[in-house]
Each structure stands twice: as C-alpha cells, then as structure tokens.
Amino acid sequence: MKLQRLLGITMLLLSRKRVGAQELAERFEVSLRTIYRDIEAINAADIPIASFAGVDGGYEIMDEYRIERQIVTLDDLSSLVTALKGMQSTLQDGQMDHLLAKISALIAKNEQHRMEEAGEQLIIGLSPWTRVEADKDKLAELRLAARNRNVVWLTYSNPEGDMGERAVEPIGLAWKGSAWYLYAYCRLRKDCRTFKLSRIRKLRVDMEVFPRRKERLEDLDARWGQRDTRSYITMVLCFHPRVRVRVEEFFGPEQMTVEEDGSLLVRSEFPEDNWLYGMLLSYGPDLRVLEPKSLADEISGQASRVAELYK
C-alpha cells in the first residue's frame, strides 16, 4: 500500500503544478505526518520535490524531471490510444493525429503485435448521432478560438427557440451525455455560461483577444453536477410494465417500485419546465402522472391540445 501511495503521489505531482500537504492527506486518506514521511522517501529516491510555505504553498516536482517510459505499462498505453482514437473521431485537429502517432511509437513492435492479436475491447465514440459534420466544424473553430483567446460572436437559440446574439470569451469544450457544450464567459450576462453546440446557429470568430480570466475549465465543469437554482417538483409517476426497460434506464431502479399488477411507480424530482413536459409526454398512454395535480393537469392539457390538431 505504501509503494502504491508513493507512486500515486509522484504521478499526481507530475501532472499538477503544486499540491498542498492537506490535499494529499485527504486524497490518500492518511495523516499529514505520513505525507511528510512520504515526501522524504520520494526525495530519497532521487525524485526532486521542492516545498513552498505560505497560503499558496505545497509541493511540486522540479520542471526538468521526467519519468522514463518503463513505468508506463502496455495496458496504460493501450488505454491512451483508445481514448485518443475516440477524440480523433470527432475533432478535426492535426495535433491529435500527431499525438496518437507519438503514443503509438512508444509501443514496442512485439507489443503492437500483441495488441493486434487481442483486438479492441473498448471503443469510445464521441460523435453525436446527428449533425456530425456541422458540430465538427464548430468544434474546430471554438477550440482554436479558446486556444488563441479570441472573442466569438454566437447566434444562439434558447430551449424555447428565441434567437439572440452573444459575444463570449471561450474557455473550453466538454462532452456531456450525448452532446458537446461550450464553456465561456458571456459578456451579456457578465458571468460564465454553458452553451450547447446544437443550439449555436452561427458563430463568428473575432480578431479581438481577451485577457485570461481566473476561471478554469475544470472548475466550471465541476459546477455541472451541482443542483441549479430552478424550482424542483416532487413527482409520483405510474408507468405501464411494457416500458420498464426505458424507465429503468432513465430514472434508475432505486427510484422505482414494482406494484402487484406489474405497473411501475416512480418518485423523482425534476425542475418543472418545457423539457420535463416533453419527456413525460413522450411516454404517451404508458404514463399517468399521479402527483402533483398541477403537473397532471398540465400534461393532460398539452395532450388534449395535441389531439385537437388531428381532428
């Protein structure tokens, strides 16, 4: 366990500029005293670690140090190649091709033969099922704009279909669920916002270069899972047994109870908006909203208006 922890600390320090002792202790679930001893042991192994005091203090490995290829296993390199191929399938980036070639060059010929014989066990596909070429063009332009810190003008559509133009300072891109999103500072809202690529109707990269802001992509991405400020409602839904697989995939079995007649009772919380109405209506006659009554009335009313269109 100690050897694994020492290697873990070393790899973490190689991937980060500076890490505090408290963060290391919490990450590896040991005491601060143990971390101090670990740092001494790593230094004794001729891996140069410098310590810094103060509020922004911590440990970091000297810039000139690197780890030899031997510490990276064939499985490690195979995982890197798989991930890079997934990125390469959707990003129009020549650097990604060069990086894939460099990683592949680290694999010995006999190891390459073993990989070919084993075949692929994992494929990562990041391309959406639709709008593939349109999204590739947007991705390429936005990645370059984020790299060069160019202001981008977006013609953007909200969920209700209202169009507007925004000037944004792109920070980075993220693949979430089944779509690409742009993280950027919006000059209209004067705050960081998330923009879904499929709702970007037009974009224009400006020559203006914006100053680097303190927000980092990983910090903005960490906000994704946080509960938003919209009003949530608690729903009780009753589904027909024939849609059980779909219900399990969407809500998860932990929110589902199977009744004596085979129907599925789901208790869940969602923000009440047009997306929720559309999702519930997509189940058609296989869903009945039991609670709250206001939501049941809304779904009933919308279903009636849809039926009127076909009379």
Side-chain angles (χ1 to χ4, degrees), residues 281-301:
L281 285 166
S282 70
Y283 286 92
D286 293 327
L287 164 66
R288 183 162 55 96
V289 178
L290 302 182
E291 296 178 16
K293 185 177 184 303
S294 59
L295 178 61
D297 291 342
E298 179 64 34
I299 297 301
S300 175

Side-chain angles (χ1 to χ4, degrees), residues 43 64 90 107 110 142 148 162 174 177 188 227 240 292 302 304:
N43 264 317
E64 297 79 12
T90 188
I107 304 173
N110 65 322
L142 291 170
N148 297 332
D162 299 325
L188 176 65
R227 189 181 176 104
H240 193 280
Q302 291 203 20
S304 297

Side-chain angles (χ1 to χ4, degrees), residues 100-262:
L100 184 58
K102 289 177 183 179
I103 297 295
S104 299
L106 294 175
I107 304 173
K109 288 186 177 180
N110 65 322
E111 292 176 326
Q112 291 178 1
H113 182 66
R114 282 167 51 195
M115 286 177 62
E116 290 172 1
E117 282 190 336
E120 296 280 1
Q121 286 85 44
L122 180 66
I123 292 178
I124 301 174
L126 300 182
S127 294
W129 287 54
T130 59
R131 304 172 55 85
V132 175
E133 293 305 319
D135 279 349
K136 279 186 177 181
D137 293 339
K138 292 176 188 174
L139 282 168
E141 290 189 76
L142 291 170
R143 285 190 73 216
L144 186 60
R147 186 180 303 159
N148 297 332
R149 301 209 310 273
N150 292 122
V151 173
V152 177
W153 288 85
L154 304 178
T155 302
Y156 193 72
S157 171
N158 65 16
E160 287 71 38
D162 299 325
M163 306 281 285
E165 192 170 50
R166 309 273 190 96
V168 303
E169 300 172 7
I171 297 170
L173 293 145
W175 172 262
K176 293 291 182 180
S178 59
W180 283 99
Y181 292 84
L182 168 69
Y183 290 113
Y185 178 85
C186 177
R187 290 185 170 180
L188 176 65
R189 304 302 182 192
K190 293 182 172 52
D191 195 6
C192 291
R193 290 289 188 268
T194 304
F195 301 91
K196 193 172 184 179
L197 257 66
S198 60
R199 295 181 189 162
I200 298 176
R201 306 308 179 193
K202 295 179 184 178
L203 68 87
R204 175 173 56 85
V205 179
D206 201 300
M207 294 303 294
E208 179 188 351
V209 176
F210 59 86
R212 190 180 301 279
R213 295 184 176 273
K214 64 179 180 179
E215 291 84 4
R216 299 182 304 168
L217 183 61
E218 53 265 37
D219 296 331
L220 296 175
D221 191 59
R223 299 181 192 175
W224 183 277
Q226 296 176 357
R227 189 181 176 104
D228 57 38
T229 57
R230 291 177 294 173
S231 176
Y232 276 64
I233 60 169
T234 300
M235 306 179 298
V236 180
L237 312 173
C238 183
F239 293 91
H240 193 280
R242 61 173 160 258
V243 293
R244 176 168 182 161
V245 172
R246 184 181 169 191
V247 172
E248 284 181 336
E249 289 177 346
F250 186 83
F251 292 97
E254 66 279 358
Q255 298 188 69
M256 190 178 74
T257 303
V258 181
E259 300 293 280
E260 290 185 2
D261 61 356

